[in-house]
Amino acid sequence: MTISQLAPERALRRLELTVVRRLEGYLHGEHLGLLPGPGTELAEAREYQVGDDVRRMDWAVTARTTMPHVRDLIADRELETWALVDLSGSMDFGTSTLEKRELAVAAVATVGFLTHRLGDRFGGLMLRDSALRRWPARSGRLALYGLLRALLAEQFSGNEEVHRSDLSAALESMARTQRKRGLRVIVSDFLTPQDGEVASQVEPSWERAMRKLTAQHQVLAVEIVDPRELELPNIGVVTIGDPETGEVREIDTRRRKVREAFAVAALAQRERTRAALRRVGAGHLVLRTDRDWVADTVRFVLAYRRVAPRLHQPPKGVAR
């Protein structure tokens, strides 16, 4: 039974049990949040090492010792987390155990259930039909349940009118209005009208806005993928519609060249997304509707924690 087939309260309880039982033991410990990041409280001074952020130089200690010193930072214990959830037409799709929209709710629940126990405030922005709905940041389990309940209620609105959702504008709004430093989680399939471009070095329309966001906050991008978006099965002549633009095309999937061209274009789109997120310095978690999303989340977080200290340091000889 899928999430959408359950009553809202049962769906939320099932999500919480899944997250807490399978993830909490792996991801809690000496770390204070889902992903490790820099804080704001000064810790002890230590000698400067090549690659350290020069903005953290302790000039008083440097003058006394005649050796360059920097101040380490203590991770903040109470952070503000905001999730931007893409609820556009392309997310109303799924051919496996979950729909993309359900998997997006599960991703938000994962971050929320693992942070609300630490006292963090959690807020949400819901992008649907070019409109951005804001859910205020609050702490506590009931507030998180309210956000998740709102996301579940947005799943099936019955509105057949076609609207273009502007992910770039939503990211700009998030960077402009939510200025308190913390974790920002972007949940989307990152499908845009420019996805006909195959060159990975060409910037997606949302990359500049994402770069502004990563300059202020720690950002985790959760890409939602369905297997039918990566390759076409051989099922004869089918009619395929674009839920974002309303465009409809008839495709003969019996032709091998058609299936191969589709697979190449899909791979190019995913590579552009991966390259763009790496350029802006955002964490990139890929969740698929045909895979165990809990196991994929565990693998990502454990791997990210091993490389996070290097990711947050500037290149040698370069000051941020």
Side-chain angles (χ1 to χ4, degrees):
M1 181 176 291
T2 64
I3 296 174
S4 61
Q5 293 174 316
L6 296 174
E9 291 302 322
R10 288 187 60 198
L12 294 177
R13 284 197 295 270
R14 174 174 288 189
L15 274 176
E16 183 173 15
L17 286 174
T18 301
V19 171
V20 172
R21 286 181 178 177
R22 296 188 59 187
L23 287 181
E24 190 175 40
Y26 286 102
L27 304 184
H28 278 181
E30 63 178 356
H31 299 288
L32 298 174
L34 182 65
L35 298 180
T40 56
E41 184 180 347
L42 293 176
E44 295 182 354
R46 60 173 175 80
E47 286 193 16
Y48 173 85
Q49 298 179 358
V50 176
D52 284 334
D53 189 348
V54 296
R55 294 177 299 179
R56 294 195 281 111
M57 293 289 295
D58 190 322
W59 297 110
V61 177
T62 299
R64 289 199 307 268
T65 63
T66 69
M67 295 289 293
H69 279 68
V70 294
R71 284 276 183 180
D72 283 330
L73 297 176
I74 300 174
D76 293 327
R77 292 186 176 274
E78 292 186 5
L79 299 178
E80 190 166 276
T81 300
W82 281 86
L84 170 60
V85 187
D86 182 1
L87 299 175
S88 59
S90 61
M91 295 289 286
D92 276 323
F93 182 71
T95 61
S96 189
T97 56
L98 288 174
E99 289 195 352
K100 292 166 63 177
R101 193 176 300 273
E102 294 175 321
L103 190 53
V105 176
V108 176
T110 299
V111 179
F113 287 135
L114 292 176
T115 57
H116 87 273
R117 294 191 172 199
L118 305 172
D120 288 356
R121 289 158 52 87
F122 201 100
L125 296 172
M126 292 169 273
L127 174 63
R128 186 178 182 89
D129 299 340
S130 299
L132 197 60
R133 180 183 174 192
R134 182 178 181 272
W135 189 271
R138 298 189 179 97
S139 61
R141 180 171 176 269
L142 293 180
L144 177 60
Y145 260 52
L147 171 60
L148 296 176
R149 195 178 295 111
L151 289 172
L152 288 173
E154 290 281 347
Q155 286 188 8
F156 303 102
S157 66
N159 184 8
E160 299 297 333
E161 187 179 353
V162 174
H163 295 276
R164 291 177 180 268
S165 293
D166 192 343
L167 179 59
S168 177
L171 292 170
E172 290 273 5
S173 178
M174 173 179 263
R176 184 174 59 253
T177 59
Q178 315 304 330
R179 293 185 174 275
K180 185 175 181 181
R181 289 179 60 87
L183 176 64
R184 301 295 180 262
V185 183
I186 314 301
V187 185
S188 175
D189 53 14
F190 295 98
L191 296 177
T192 67
Q194 296 82 22
D195 288 333
E197 177 63 58
V198 296
S200 62
Q201 66 271 19
V202 177
E203 292 187 5
S205 59
W206 46 262
E207 181 173 342
R208 181 172 298 182
M210 184 75 80
R211 184 176 288 110
K212 292 180 182 178
L213 199 64
T214 56
Q216 302 171 353
H217 311 281
Q218 187 179 15
V219 177
L220 170 62
V222 183
E223 183 182 6
I224 307 297
V225 180
D226 187 84
R228 290 286 74 82
E229 295 173 332
L230 305 178
E231 58 182 6
L232 288 175
N234 184 358
I235 55 176
V237 180
V238 295
T239 301
I240 297 180
D242 186 340
E244 298 280 352
T245 64
E247 183 181 356
V248 177
R249 295 186 61 180
E250 191 175 83
I251 299 177
D252 187 357
T253 61
R254 295 171 298 185
R255 300 174 58 187
R256 181 169 56 86
K257 290 185 177 180
V258 170
R259 299 196 303 272
E260 291 177 350
F262 182 91
V264 169
L267 182 62
Q269 184 273 327
R270 291 199 63 197
E271 176 60 24
R272 284 185 71 225
T273 300
R274 186 199 65 79
L277 293 174
R278 183 172 184 177
R279 283 194 296 265
V280 302
H284 184 198
L285 167 62
V286 179
L287 297 181
R288 293 178 47 139
T289 60
D290 61 339
R291 289 176 56 94
D292 185 345
W293 57 272
V294 177
D296 287 343
T297 301
V298 169
R299 281 191 289 267
F300 165 79
V301 175
L302 295 180
Y304 190 87
R305 284 178 170 172
R306 287 194 293 267
V307 302
R310 295 194 298 272
L311 290 177
H312 292 292
Q313 291 291 344
K316 290 185 178 181
V318 177
R320 282 192 283 188

